[in-house]
Amino acid sequence: MRAIVVSDIHGDYEALINYLTSVNFNEDEDMLITLGDNFDRGVGNLELYHFLQNLPHKILIMGNHELALLNVLKSGKPDKIDLHNGTVQTIADLAGCKEGQAYWDMAAIDAARRTGIESWIKNEFQWYFETDEYIFVHGWIPTKFLHDDEYLPLDEADGSDWFDAAWCNTEKKIAAFREVFPHGMDKTIVFGHWGTFLLYQNIDGIDIKQGNYDKIWKNDQLKLIGLDCTTAISHHIEGLIIEV
């Protein structure tokens, strides 16, 4: 089966559909793997939710924005960081109201809950997905599982390990990773979370102002692939196509 891997859609349903159309995605024959941060910041969160919910073949990785959304739905109390991060916009899309109402009105939270998205995320999302060749994560692998030129079984990590990995500074993790695995691991790590333009700029030293970089970031020596195209700003998605 062909798998299309994308990351950090951030509620831009139109950008996702444009990309999937460009690669002739067939939902009956292909699998979609998303590496987290499907929601927040865009205005197509409800459409995206319904699309992902109804896909027959999918792998959904938990991102920090899914965690933020779960937190607001549980507490019923969005704060200013949720407004800044776009979680309030997601609540508004789900509830069918304006962003201001979603920030102040508990009824909007209740309406968002009634869509079932809270239980859907809890039941359908996972921390990572692993194949013979790849490890798919959102931000990074839990750091304590990378040492002595090998990594421990990822299913031994607990929720707090993965929570920290989902919110991590991926650039710093890559710098530490390079010290332990200068030629990468036996599997390629594919991740989102951290804008690829930052990886090109701060790791590869490429002047991104010239626009001379691909949307996907690859480091063949370290066996790393970054997929966060900063869709919330660029309205562009670029993915990885593999066989699973």
Side-chain angles (χ1 to χ4, degrees):
M1 174 181 284
R2 191 175 68 147
I4 314 298
V5 190
V6 299
S7 192
D8 296 79
I9 302 166
H10 280 297
D12 199 328
Y13 173 71
E14 183 177 351
L16 176 65
I17 296 304
N18 287 342
Y19 172 69
L20 293 180
T21 300
S22 74
V23 297
N24 299 312
F25 178 76
N26 184 323
E27 65 178 40
D28 295 319
E29 299 178 359
D30 298 327
M31 173 185 288
L32 181 66
I33 302 176
T34 75
L35 304 185
D37 285 7
N38 295 285
F39 307 107
D40 300 352
R41 296 180 175 159
V43 295
N45 294 287
L46 181 61
E47 294 87 347
L48 181 61
Y49 168 41
H50 288 156
F51 176 75
L52 294 178
Q53 188 179 36
N54 292 314
L55 275 182
H57 310 295
K58 57 183 177 284
I59 297 289
L60 306 172
I61 303 298
M62 185 76 79
N64 55 297
H65 280 265
E66 278 77 32
L67 293 168
L69 179 57
L70 287 176
N71 182 62
V72 172
L73 291 171
K74 179 181 179 180
S75 69
K77 299 177 181 179
D79 56 26
K80 289 183 179 179
I81 192 66
D82 296 312
L83 195 62
H84 171 76
N85 284 338
T87 307
V88 176
Q89 178 63 57
T90 298
I91 297 294
D93 287 355
L94 295 171
C97 67
K98 294 186 180 298
E99 187 177 35
Q101 182 181 353
Y103 187 54
W104 295 109
D105 189 352
M106 187 67 189
I109 303 290
D110 289 337
R113 288 171 177 155
R114 287 195 293 273
T115 67
I117 195 170
E118 185 175 11
S119 60
W120 176 72
I121 292 174
K122 290 178 178 178
N123 293 327
E124 295 286 340
F125 281 62
Q126 56 199 67
W127 291 115
Y128 72 99
F129 177 60
E130 191 169 4
T131 69
D132 290 340
E133 298 181 50
Y134 298 95
I135 299 171
F136 299 98
V137 295
H138 177 59
W140 199 242
I141 292 174
T143 303
K144 73 180 185 181
F145 287 78
L146 298 171
H147 64 87
D148 297 333
D149 298 325
E150 64 180 19
Y151 69 99
L152 302 178
L154 296 176
D155 59 7
E156 295 182 7
D158 61 27
S160 63
D161 296 323
W162 285 110
F163 183 94
D164 292 342
W167 285 94
C168 76
N169 180 317
T170 304
E171 270 186 48
K172 291 183 178 179
K173 297 297 185 183
I174 291 174
F177 177 82
R178 190 194 300 267
E179 295 297 318
V180 180
F181 298 94
H183 302 290
M185 301 192 307
D186 59 329
K187 298 185 180 185
T188 297
I189 301 174
V190 186
F191 59 92
H193 183 57
W194 210 256
T196 56
F197 78 95
L198 292 171
L199 301 175
Y200 278 105
Q201 174 182 276
N202 300 331
I203 294 179
D204 296 343
I206 291 176
D207 182 3
I208 61 170
K209 293 180 181 179
Q210 301 302 317
N212 55 345
Y213 67 98
D214 296 326
K215 295 298 182 182
I216 293 178
W217 180 79
K218 293 184 179 181
N219 187 307
D220 293 333
Q221 179 177 326
L222 296 177
K223 298 180 183 176
L224 302 177
I225 300 176
L227 295 181
D228 180 359
C229 301
T230 55
T231 303
I233 299 173
S234 68
H235 303 294
H236 177 82
I237 288 175
E238 198 73 38
L240 177 70
I241 302 176
I242 63 171
E243 291 292 326
V244 294

